């Protein structure tokens, strides 16, 4: 009897919206910084993370303002030729539109929100000390990758 009541209570709570957890909320927190990743060929890229050297399972959306957005803007411009409205670290309508276009080209849900799926699909802007640039997915860079 107690088990039945507990199950009915849980179903009722979900039905009336008392418990709502979206997949995006489960997967990530907000990106607030970026971390340099180095490959074995001497190139590095800056990836949005939740804090300095924090997890890269984080998200960015319109309204965010920080270094993580700046690094995303660099990648969208250098690797995809997208105009994000500048490199100001402000996730505004231009950055959101640019991200939507790239997500669509990559076959992702073009929701304009950066998260782990977008992170894995993007080709990131890599550079080295000699000033050379290239665009590679994190999984394509000569590894193993290490953070600074």
């Amino acid at each position: 009897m107690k088990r039945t009541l507990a199950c009915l209570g849980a179903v009722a709570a979900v039905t009336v919206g008392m418990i709502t957890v979206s997949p995006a909320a489960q997967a990530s927190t907000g990106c607030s910084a970026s971390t340099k990743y180095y490959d074995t060929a001497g190139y590095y890229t800056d990836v949005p993370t939740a804090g300095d050297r924090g997890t890269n399972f984080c998200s960015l959306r319109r309204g965010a303002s920080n270094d993580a957005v700046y690094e995303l803007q660099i990648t969208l411009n250098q690797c995809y030729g997208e105009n994000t409205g500048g490199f100001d670290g402000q996730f505004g309508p231009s950055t959101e539109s640019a991200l939507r276009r790239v997500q669509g080209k990559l076959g992702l849900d073009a929701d304009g929100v950066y998260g782990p799926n977008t992170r894995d699909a993007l080709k990131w802007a890599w550079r080295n000390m000699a000033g050379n640039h290239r665009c590679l997915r994190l999984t394509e860079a000569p590894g193993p990758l290490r953070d600074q």
Side-chain angles (χ1 to χ4, degrees):
M1 181 69 159
K2 288 181 183 179
R3 186 176 296 160
T4 303
L5 288 174
C7 288
L8 288 173
V11 170
V14 170
T15 303
V16 296
M18 291 172 54
I19 301 173
T20 56
V21 181
S22 71
Q26 290 175 349
S28 61
T29 59
C31 302
S32 58
S34 62
T35 298
K36 279 191 185 344
Y37 286 90
Y38 294 87
D39 69 14
T40 57
Y43 284 80
Y44 65 91
T45 190
D46 293 282
V47 177
T49 53
D52 291 332
R53 297 183 69 174
T55 180
N56 60 23
F57 283 85
C58 57
S59 62
L60 290 168
R61 62 189 66 227
R62 191 190 291 208
S65 175
N66 53 43
D67 287 340
V69 176
Y70 172 81
E71 297 303 336
L72 178 62
Q73 290 172 329
I74 294 290
T75 284
L76 293 173
N77 179 266
Q78 289 184 358
C79 296
Y80 296 94
E82 290 291 338
N83 179 1
T84 61
F87 307 117
D88 57 5
Q90 306 290 319
F91 199 122
S94 296
T95 299
E96 181 181 52
S97 294
L99 182 58
R100 283 180 190 271
R101 287 189 296 275
V102 170
Q103 287 172 323
K105 291 175 190 174
L106 296 172
L108 301 171
D109 182 20
D111 58 4
V113 176
Y114 169 88
N117 291 337
T118 301
R119 178 205 62 221
D120 291 344
L122 281 177
K123 288 189 176 186
W124 289 90
W126 293 79
R127 47 211 174 267
N128 67 13
M129 298 305 280
N132 298 317
H133 297 271
R134 65 182 184 184
C135 294
L136 291 174
R137 288 183 182 84
L138 293 175
T139 56
E140 295 172 335
L145 299 181
R146 66 187 197 293
D147 64 358
Q148 181 182 15

